[in-house]
Amino acid sequence: MRDSPTHFQLTITGNEKVGDRFFLLSFENPGVSFRPGQFAMVAISGEPYPLLRRPFAVSRTPEGTLQILYRVVGTGTRLMSYWKKGRKVNVIFPLGNGFEKIQNACILVGGGSGVASMIALARELHSRGTPYLLCVGTKKSGELDPHSSVFQNPPLNVKFATEDGSFGFHGTVLDLAEQHIHSFTCAAVCGPPAMMTAFLERFPDVNAMFSLENHMGCGTGVCLGCAIETRNGMMRVCVDGPVFPGKILLPEHLK
Amino acid sequence: MRDSPTHFQLTITGNEKVGDRFFLLSFENPGVSFRPGQFAMVAISGEPYPLLRRPFAVSRTPEGTLQILYRVVGTGTRLMSYWKKGRKVNVIFPLGNGFEKIQNACILVGGGSGVASMIALARELHSRGTPYLLCVGTKKSGELDPHSSVFQNPPLNVKFATEDGSFGFHGTVLDLAEQHIHSFTCAAVCGPPAMMTAFLERFPDVNAMFSLENHMGCGTGVCLGCAIETRNGMMRVCVDGPVFPGKILLPEHLK
Amino acid sequence: MTLEIETGGVQLSTPILPASGTFGWGTELKNLVDYSALGAVVTKGISLHPRKGNPQPRLLEVPCGLINSIGLQNPGVDAFIQNYEKELSALSMPVIVNIFGESPQEYAEVATKLSNCHWVSGLEINLSCPNVHAGGLEFGSNITGVRDVIQAVRNSTNKPLWAKFSHSTHLFHLVEAALEAGSNAVVLLNTLPALAINIKSKQPVLGARRGGLSGPPLKYVALRDVFDVYSRFKCHIVGVGGIIKPEDAVEFILAGARAVEIGTGAMVHPELFIKCRNFMSEYLKNGSYESVENMVGLAHDDQHV
Amino acid sequence: MTLEIETGGVQLSTPILPASGTFGWGTELKNLVDYSALGAVVTKGISLHPRKGNPQPRLLEVPCGLINSIGLQNPGVDAFIQNYEKELSALSMPVIVNIFGESPQEYAEVATKLSNCHWVSGLEINLSCPNVHAGGLEFGSNITGVRDVIQAVRNSTNKPLWAKFSHSTHLFHLVEAALEAGSNAVVLLNTLPALAINIKSKQPVLGARRGGLSGPPLKYVALRDVFDVYSRFKCHIVGVGGIIKPEDAVEFILAGARAVEIGTGAMVHPELFIKCRNFMSEYLKNGSYESVENMVGLAHDDQHV
Ligand SMILES: Cc1cc2nc3c(=O)[nH]c(=O)nc-3n(C[C@H](O)[C@H](O)[C@H](O)COP(=O)(O)OP(=O)(O)OC[C@H]3O[C@@H](n4cnc5c(N)ncnc54)[C@H](O)[C@@H]3O)c2cc1C
Ligand SMILES: Cc1cc2nc3c(=O)[nH]c(=O)nc-3n(C[C@H](O)[C@H](O)[C@H](O)COP(=O)(O)OP(=O)(O)OC[C@H]3O[C@@H](n4cnc5c(N)ncnc54)[C@H](O)[C@@H]3O)c2cc1C
Ligand SMILES: Cc1cc2nc3c(=O)[nH]c(=O)nc-3n(C[C@H](O)[C@H](O)[C@H](O)COP(=O)(O)O)c2cc1C
Ligand SMILES: Cc1cc2nc3c(=O)[nH]c(=O)nc-3n(C[C@H](O)[C@H](O)[C@H](O)COP(=O)(O)O)c2cc1C
Ligand code: FES
Ligand code: FES
């Protein structure tokens, strides 16, 4: 079901701009089995700069293409935005635990670059026919194009919230989620630490899984750079996570 | 006649492959006055890697386009070979002394990447009608295309030598030069240290000017990284050169 | 032609090792790393009692380098033995356990416990640890600290000891003290002290404020120290710092190291171990060297000073 | 709102200075650098007698860093005064002359000669210079060396003195010695010791074999030392090392420096001086600070340890 982590040289088949700061990177699929929520450590260049690999959630289109949806936030993602079709990229994949198979109606809550981690899960629930709703939050309209293939291939059940009300629901993605959460038995959440902490406080009784986005050194469990304190002791986000049940998280240690 | 060094953001108008490892980079000309042999310090990226600027001789086509002929030898020149039309490049230019105006028949001897430093001079002598011969040496055929605009715009008086005899004269560029040098009253030389040392030893009586290619830190005379010992004391290749009369050079200090 | 070399009392099948703290407890990367590349495994630092380590953030990437402030998180020596003994003793290569403590006695107690483990081939003693009884100055920063720790450990075990240092202007004296106190080899270098400030929050970036700089730039400082220490003592040296390509490992051997450890570089590229091993083989072959030993310190063979 | 700040006895119109050895004798870049960005010029190191410096190659670029072994080439103090007095005294800003010697006496003789030059506003004392009478150990590596040099210079001139150090594990003691001996400020840091080996020739790459590492990675070591020295002594500090963007200069001020020097970064980008100056102004404005002085050491204001 999950292959063990391997080095791949993946060939880029597309790197499409899908919003003001989001890109959708597509790769040839080397035939790997992985779970939604598992991620890849992507080497940005063959040079010693930038030095570290960057972690990105991976999803799969109905045709089997591997995809990374990424937000341009710093040096690494900026350099990635220049990548062209045909380039080979060195990745270690699949990493992390990923989400357990979800059997019950689930609400997916993604904020900022955290939306990316929800796509693979939404696509899986969609293809399996499990009821779900994907709530996507951005600051304003245009950040992430609702008509792009991110949400259309397959056509996901998605609602958008913008903080300035310029598109979709007016408010935070948590405000949006609040309106629908009663229809679901579980939740999956990914976003900035402040958003995840707020979710824990606002919906303490919801059975929620959180995908964390710590900065990572190795991604393979050997450096302890990503380790956080949880109710179950010290845990490495990269191998013990990135998906954790909300009940073991300590809000003060989310960042 | 020579403008003082200035920062420019030059727009690339072309970056043509002109041989197995040579590229010809063209820029919009911001209207700078400079001498053949003067050079530009080119910033390779906006990032701290590669850290240092790289020095390149600059020439001008009859239409006034600025050009850099470069050989891919390391990280910086490899990254340059990916540059595309339209990119803006940060350069400090013009730097160094350049060649004095040459009035008499002159033989130009260039080996390897040293060929580049001879192009501006050849073009100037060509346009002024001063008799000259450009001798170009490479290891084998194909390294630098004789039909490229490097040699055709304007059509220079050039002879080629290859060490393996696969094109033009069979032998080193010094062997080639030896056949013609008696027809000239002066010489201009640029190439690897071993070639320049050999020139000094083989043609001790020729009135020759050498353009040196030391590794440079600043290119502006402030770091002393390029300084060499000469018969006239310590000299900085970047501001006291890169062009030096052969009679002041000490072969043992050429590298 | 062989890559085998005895280093500080440990027989290594290759001179390529992982650096402590970047290879977990030794077996996490079994699926990703070709262990035949490795001359030994080196564990993260182990202390007497468990430690949680430092608050997040613990890592900061800087140009061509990495600052970490993991803070020596570890389960403590007892849990370490209990949890990892089985897997580690099943490995077909030496296991070097990196240890540290807050006092010479603590180092000694950890060493005593590990001394009874047949699967432990040697101890790497991390001297870049604050001496709580001496105002937080690192043991490795002064001769007394080095001597006290190494002697205490030496009296607790017969296992080979490797003393691991950070860069210091006084490295000669410190190395001398370690060798005199019974260290079989010295390991050069640990990270450089480092700090970064977030100009928006006006606070240090890392949760623990201070951290250590590793990665490519450290290579040149480590090479310098390996070169100088080798030329002075001709002792057994393990070179560490900034190896990111196979050529770097060869540089360390030529400078005088008998083995190298790779940290940050292999965190990023786990394939680096096998690449280094293969490159080293090629280099031996091309130079017609019988063994790595013949390459050690070759950069010293000329006469100019 | 002002960028002016008094640092180690010198009144600077901005806290942005060039680093010694990367700005020639002070006036070479008059056409390329906007001198209004600079609080002072700092010359390359001057010694009693002329020096040719080291053989080529003198520079090696490494990942995000530069190793140099210029070897303190300079025309000697007499020729320096004769050749550059006119241009330097015409500058409308302080001139800091960096000096070094092979013995405390030599330092003192250089200082005496410069003491008579009205256009010299202060002396920066490069302590990272081998003490030929103490086995080549750098003056700055031990308390005695520091004390002897600073005292000798202090007795030769009334000019402000800035003592410049390399990174050391014992920096506290060295800084203390410099301050006690009469240094008005400390300058942190000089380059890190470094070496590289060419695996084809099997020889060190640089003509002089050993060199010093500067550039971006050094920033984090220098920030750490500035931060720690400020928190211990609250003395006047000039921060140097790895500044390559305007934000870096601000980091140094927040860590505790009253001024910064830019070396490698401005060799590559002479525009960096004016960019730093402008960014610093903006930062002051946005934070509503009256002066740079109000920003000094702000990273220390929190309570966690
Ligand atoms: C498991 C996992 C999955 C992820 N999936 C995705 C995804 O699918 N799509 C996506 O867009 N992003 C994803 N992320 C986040 C993504 O990895 C980062 O956005 C990316 O690494 C940023 O790289 P960069 O070089 O562009 O930015 P950088 O230049 O590295 O930094 C970006 C920002 O982070 C700050 N920063 C750097 N280091 C630290 C630190 N140690 N602590 C705090 N702040 C720091 C910087 O100051 C800067 O503002 C994921 C992260 C994890 C851990
Ligand atoms: C005034 C001047 C004009 C020049 N004009 C031209 C030109 O017009 N066209 C052209 O192609 N080239 C020219 N050069 C040479 C050119 O600058 C270099 O080839 C270029 O900088 C190499 O950059 P790189 O990043 O590709 O190579 P790098 O990766 O920097 O190095 C290339 C090679 O040089 C070696 N090297 C690096 N540093 C040193 C050192 N300190 N000492 C010895 N070897 C070292 C490396 O090991 C490597 O083999 C000129 C040089 C000078 C000084
Ligand atoms: C994340 C991380 C954790 C480390 N933990 C330890 C440790 O526990 N004990 C130790 O002696 N060194 C530790 N080090 C230092 C490394 O072993 C090594 O000496 C240093 O990183 C330099 O090598 P490199 O540049 O190849 O990483 C650690 C380094 C890193 C990057
Ligand atoms: C080429 C070069 C020459 C230097 N010469 C001197 C010198 O003569 N005296 C001195 O005190 N420091 C000298 N230094 C050190 C710098 O002044 C500075 O301390 C160091 O380079 C760190 O700053 P940076 O990273 O901004 O370059 C020199 C540095 C370089 C790169
Ligand atoms: S990133 Fe290294 S252990 Fe998780
Ligand atoms: S390259 Fe700096 S002085 Fe010539």
Side-chain angles (χ1 to χ4, degrees):
Chain A
M1 184 84 227
R2 288 171 205 177
D3 287 341
S4 65
T6 311
H7 277 98
F8 292 104
Q9 292 281 348
L10 298 183
T11 305
I12 295 179
T13 57
N15 190 19
E16 191 192 343
K17 196 164 198 292
V18 292
D20 287 346
R21 280 170 75 191
F22 277 90
F23 285 75
L24 183 64
L25 186 63
S26 302
F27 295 103
E28 273 174 19
N29 187 339
V32 206
S33 295
F34 66 99
R35 294 284 315 145
Q38 287 196 282
F39 65 96
M41 289 294 279
V42 177
I44 305 295
S45 76
E47 308 291 331
Y49 178 91
L51 182 62
L52 299 181
R53 289 170 186 263
R54 301 294 192 264
F56 295 98
V58 179
S59 66
R60 189 166 29 206
T61 66
E63 300 77 37
T65 305
L66 294 187
Q67 292 190 322
I68 285 173
L69 174 67
Y70 64 96
R71 185 160 194 264
V72 177
V73 299
T75 307
T77 47
R78 182 163 45 74
L79 292 173
M80 285 169 69
S81 73
Y82 306 143
W83 287 357
K84 298 267 179 299
K85 199 174 151 164
R87 183 188 180 108
K88 294 211 181 274
V89 179
N90 186 295
V91 308
I92 302 178
F93 178 66
L95 295 164
N97 57 1
F99 288 96
E100 294 297 316
K101 202 161 246 171
I102 293 174
Q103 311 287 2
N104 300 314
C106 188
I107 186 165
L108 280 47
V109 185
S113 67
V115 175
S117 296
M118 294 294 111
I119 299 300
L121 186 57
R123 285 176 170 176
E124 180 182 71
L125 296 174
H126 188 93
S127 81
R128 293 220 327 274
T130 312
Y132 74 95
L133 170 66
L134 171 59
C135 297
V136 168
T138 56
K139 286 223 169 9
K140 55 178 197 287
S141 152
E143 285 186 28
L144 187 47
D145 179 5
H147 306 295
S148 75
S149 67
V150 175
F151 303 110
Q152 301 308 333
N153 182 26
L156 300 177
N157 183 28
V158 56
K159 288 194 187 294
F160 294 88
T162 52
E163 290 180 25
D164 68 354
S166 52
F167 180 74
F169 179 85
H170 187 168
T172 70
V173 70
L174 294 195
D175 300 334
L176 171 62
E178 191 157 34
Q179 313 232 310
H180 303 279
I181 205 158
H182 54 273
S183 324
F184 297 90
T185 45
C186 62
V189 187
C190 186
M195 177 195 124
M196 296 200 281
T197 313
F199 190 102
L200 280 169
E201 284 165 2
R202 233 156 120 174
F203 311 109
D205 302 326
V206 171
N207 171 19
M209 302 296 296
F210 291 77
S211 184
L212 305 191
E213 285 202 347
N214 280 40
H215 282 259
M216 291 194 177
C218 64
T220 56
V222 294
C223 79
L224 307 187
C226 64
I228 54 166
E229 194 163 350
T230 72
R231 293 187 207 279
N232 293 356
M234 296 303 295
M235 292 208 151
R236 293 160 302 175
V237 171
C238 65
V239 290
D240 305 321
V243 179
F244 294 94
K247 59 179 185 293
I248 74 158
L249 294 178
L250 297 162
E252 68 276 23
H253 288 288
L254 272 187
K255 191 73 193 193
Chain B
M1 183 86 228
R2 288 172 205 176
D3 286 341
S4 65
T6 311
H7 277 97
F8 293 103
Q9 292 281 347
L10 299 182
T11 306
I12 295 179
T13 57
N15 190 20
E16 190 192 345
K17 197 164 197 289
V18 292
D20 287 346
R21 281 170 75 190
F22 278 90
F23 285 75
L24 183 64
L25 186 64
S26 302
F27 295 103
E28 273 173 18
N29 187 339
V32 207
S33 295
F34 67 98
R35 294 284 315 145
Q38 286 195 283
F39 65 95
M41 289 294 280
V42 177
I44 306 296
S45 76
E47 308 291 332
Y49 179 92
L51 183 63
L52 299 182
R53 289 170 185 263
R54 301 293 192 264
F56 295 98
V58 179
S59 67
R60 189 166 30 206
T61 67
E63 300 77 37
T65 304
L66 293 187
Q67 292 191 322
I68 284 173
L69 174 67
Y70 64 96
R71 185 160 194 265
V72 176
V73 299
T75 307
T77 46
R78 183 163 45 72
L79 292 173
M80 285 169 69
S81 73
Y82 307 143
W83 287 357
K84 298 268 180 298
K85 199 172 151 164
R87 183 188 180 109
K88 294 212 182 274
V89 180
N90 185 296
V91 309
I92 302 177
F93 178 65
L95 295 164
N97 56 1
F99 288 96
E100 293 297 313
K101 202 160 246 170
I102 293 173
Q103 311 287 1
N104 300 314
C106 188
I107 186 165
L108 279 47
V109 185
S113 67
V115 176
S117 295
M118 294 294 111
I119 299 299
L121 187 57
R123 285 176 170 176
E124 181 182 70
L125 296 175
H126 189 93
S127 80
R128 292 220 324 275
T130 313
Y132 75 95
L133 170 67
L134 172 59
C135 298
V136 168
T138 56
K139 286 224 167 11
K140 55 178 196 287
S141 153
E143 284 186 27
L144 186 48
D145 179 5
H147 307 295
S148 76
S149 67
V150 176
F151 303 110
Q152 301 307 333
N153 182 26
L156 300 177
N157 183 29
V158 55
K159 288 193 189 292
F160 294 87
T162 52
E163 290 179 25
D164 68 356
S166 53
F167 180 74
F169 178 87
H170 187 168
T172 69
V173 70
L174 294 195
D175 300 334
L176 171 62
E178 191 158 35
Q179 313 231 311
H180 303 280
I181 204 158
H182 55 272
S183 322
F184 297 90
T185 44
C186 64
V189 186
C190 187
M195 177 195 124
M196 297 199 280
T197 313
F199 190 103
L200 279 170
E201 284 163 3
R202 232 156 119 175
F203 311 110
D205 302 325
V206 171
N207 171 19
M209 301 296 296
F210 291 77
S211 185
L212 305 191
E213 285 201 347
N214 281 41
H215 283 260
M216 290 193 178
C218 64
T220 55
V222 294
C223 79
L224 307 187
C226 64
I228 54 166
E229 195 164 349
T230 71
R231 293 186 208 280
N232 293 355
M234 296 304 294
M235 292 208 151
R236 293 159 302 175
V237 171
C238 65
V239 290
D240 305 321
V243 179
F244 294 95
K247 60 179 184 295
I248 75 158
L249 294 178
L250 297 162
E252 67 275 24
H253 289 288
L254 273 188
K255 191 76 194 190
Chain C
M1 210 211 62
T2 174
L3 289 176
E4 275 176 54
I5 186 162
E6 181 265 318
T7 302
V10 185
Q11 190 63 35
L12 307 171
S13 57
T14 84
I16 315 292
L17 280 57
S20 175
T22 65
F23 204 68
W25 312 109
T27 58
E28 285 86 344
L29 295 186
K30 265 172 123 173
N31 289 319
L32 208 52
V33 163
D34 182 343
Y35 272 54
S36 76
L38 303 178
V41 301
V42 181
T43 71
K44 174 146 186 78
I46 304 287
S47 52
L48 189 56
H49 305 294
R51 289 171 67 125
K52 279 186 187 175
N54 284 325
Q56 285 286 339
R58 292 176 166 194
L59 296 177
L60 177 69
E61 179 171 342
V62 301
C64 295
L66 173 66
I67 306 182
N68 88 78
S69 63
I70 308 301
L72 298 168
Q73 177 188 335
N74 82 94
V77 64
D78 294 330
F80 166 71
I81 294 174
Q82 196 175 323
N83 300 344
Y84 300 100
E85 171 149 56
K86 190 155 161 242
E87 274 191 87
L88 286 172
S89 56
L91 286 177
S92 60
M93 65 191 64
V95 173
I96 311 290
V97 179
N98 181 290
I99 66 167
F100 70 97
E102 295 188 352
S103 64
Q105 294 66 40
E106 260 192 49
Y107 277 92
E109 282 183 65
V110 179
T112 305
K113 293 188 186 235
L114 291 166
S115 196
N116 301 323
C117 301
H118 67 92
W119 48 274
V120 174
S121 302
L123 301 182
E124 184 178 74
I125 303 164
N126 179 358
L127 291 161
S128 310
C129 195
N131 182 347
V132 288
H133 304 296
L137 218 68
E138 290 179 4
F139 290 105
S141 69
N142 58 81
I143 296 173
T144 328
V146 172
R147 194 188 297 127
D148 290 353
V149 169
I150 303 294
Q151 273 175 359
V153 176
R154 182 73 296 165
N155 293 335
S156 317
T157 178
N158 292 320
K159 304 248 187 220
L161 301 184
W162 296 2
K164 183 171 177 184
F165 291 92
S166 307
H167 170 70
S168 162
T169 12
H170 296 266
L171 201 53
F172 282 170
H173 301 297
L174 305 172
V175 165
E176 194 166 38
L179 295 172
E180 280 176 11
S183 196
N184 303 71
V186 292
V187 183
L188 311 174
L189 292 173
N190 214 315
T191 56
L192 282 165
L195 180 121
I197 290 167
N198 179 330
I199 69 165
K200 286 199 191 104
S201 70
K202 303 189 182 64
Q203 293 302 306
V205 174
L206 295 174
R209 298 172 159 212
R210 298 174 178 84
L213 178 67
S214 63
L218 184 59
K219 180 183 107 180
Y220 304 91
V221 182
L223 275 172
R224 164 81 172 254
D225 286 335
V226 169
F227 189 88
D228 287 346
V229 167
Y230 181 82
S231 103
R232 175 81 157 242
F233 298 104
K234 297 279 180 305
C235 60
H236 282 203
I237 302 172
V238 179
V240 201
I243 295 178
I244 189 105
K245 52 188 195 318
E247 291 83 350
D248 300 336
V250 171
E251 279 189 71
F252 272 103
I253 306 289
L254 296 172
R258 295 174 75 85
V260 298
E261 292 181 1
I262 312 178
T264 311
M267 271 167 58
V268 179
H269 299 292
E271 297 166 315
L272 188 55
F273 294 117
I274 189 74
K275 285 189 177 158
C276 283
R277 197 206 104 104
N278 294 343
F279 186 85
M280 194 80 76
S281 286
E282 278 303 305
Y283 194 87
L284 279 185
K285 207 177 342 169
N286 295 339
S288 304
Y289 300 109
E290 289 274 296
S291 74
V292 177
E293 185 129 23
N294 299 134
M295 275 169 59
V296 174
L298 282 185
H300 296 263
D301 276 352
D302 66 349
Q303 296 310 315
H304 68 271
V305 185
Chain D
M1 209 210 63
T2 173
L3 288 176
E4 276 175 53
I5 187 161
E6 181 266 318
T7 302
V10 185
Q11 191 62 34
L12 307 172
S13 56
T14 84
I16 315 292
L17 280 58
S20 175
T22 65
F23 203 69
W25 312 110
T27 58
E28 286 86 343
L29 296 186
K30 264 172 123 173
N31 290 317
L32 209 52
V33 163
D34 182 344
Y35 271 54
S36 76
L38 304 178
V41 300
V42 182
T43 71
K44 174 147 185 76
I46 304 288
S47 52
L48 190 56
H49 305 296
R51 291 170 65 125
K52 280 187 188 174
N54 284 326
Q56 285 286 338
R58 292 176 166 195
L59 297 177
L60 177 70
E61 180 171 342
V62 301
C64 295
L66 173 66
I67 305 183
N68 89 78
S69 63
I70 308 301
L72 298 168
Q73 177 187 335
N74 81 93
V77 64
D78 294 330
F80 166 70
I81 294 174
Q82 196 176 323
N83 299 344
Y84 300 100
E85 171 150 54
K86 189 154 161 242
E87 274 190 87
L88 287 172
S89 55
L91 287 176
S92 60
M93 66 191 64
V95 173
I96 310 291
V97 179
N98 180 291
I99 66 168
F100 69 96
E102 295 189 352
S103 64
Q105 293 67 40
E106 260 191 48
Y107 277 93
E109 284 184 65
V110 179
T112 305
K113 294 190 186 234
L114 291 166
S115 197
N116 302 323
C117 301
H118 67 92
W119 48 275
V120 174
S121 301
L123 301 182
E124 184 178 74
I125 303 166
N126 178 358
L127 291 162
S128 310
C129 194
N131 181 347
V132 288
H133 304 296
L137 218 68
E138 289 180 5
F139 290 103
S141 69
N142 58 82
I143 297 173
T144 328
V146 172
R147 194 188 297 128
D148 291 353
V149 169
I150 303 294
Q151 274 176 0
V153 176
R154 183 71 296 165
N155 293 336
S156 317
T157 179
N158 292 320
K159 306 245 187 222
L161 301 183
W162 297 1
K164 183 172 177 184
F165 292 93
S166 306
H167 170 70
S168 162
T169 13
H170 296 267
L171 201 52
F172 282 170
H173 301 298
L174 305 171
V175 165
E176 193 165 39
L179 296 172
E180 281 176 10
S183 198
N184 304 71
V186 292
V187 183
L188 312 173
L189 293 173
N190 214 316
T191 55
L192 283 165
L195 180 122
I197 289 167
N198 178 330
I199 69 164
K200 286 200 190 102
S201 70
K202 302 189 183 65
Q203 293 301 307
V205 174
L206 295 174
R209 297 172 158 212
R210 298 174 178 83
L213 177 67
S214 63
L218 184 59
K219 181 183 106 179
Y220 304 90
V221 183
L223 275 172
R224 163 81 173 255
D225 286 335
V226 169
F227 189 88
D228 287 346
V229 166
Y230 181 83
S231 102
R232 175 79 158 245
F233 298 104
K234 297 281 181 302
C235 60
H236 282 203
I237 303 172
V238 179
V240 201
I243 295 179
I244 189 105
K245 51 187 195 319
E247 291 83 349
D248 300 337
V250 172
E251 279 188 71
F252 272 103
I253 306 289
L254 296 172
R258 296 174 75 83
V260 299
E261 292 180 0
I262 312 178
T264 312
M267 271 167 58
V268 179
H269 299 292
E271 297 166 315
L272 188 54
F273 294 117
I274 189 73
K275 284 188 177 160
C276 284
R277 198 206 103 104
N278 294 343
F279 186 85
M280 195 80 76
S281 287
E282 279 301 306
Y283 194 86
L284 279 183
K285 206 175 348 168
N286 294 339
S288 304
Y289 301 110
E290 288 274 295
S291 74
V292 176
E293 184 129 23
N294 300 133
M295 275 170 59
V296 173
L298 282 185
H300 296 263
D301 276 352
D302 67 349
Q303 296 311 315
H304 69 271
V305 184

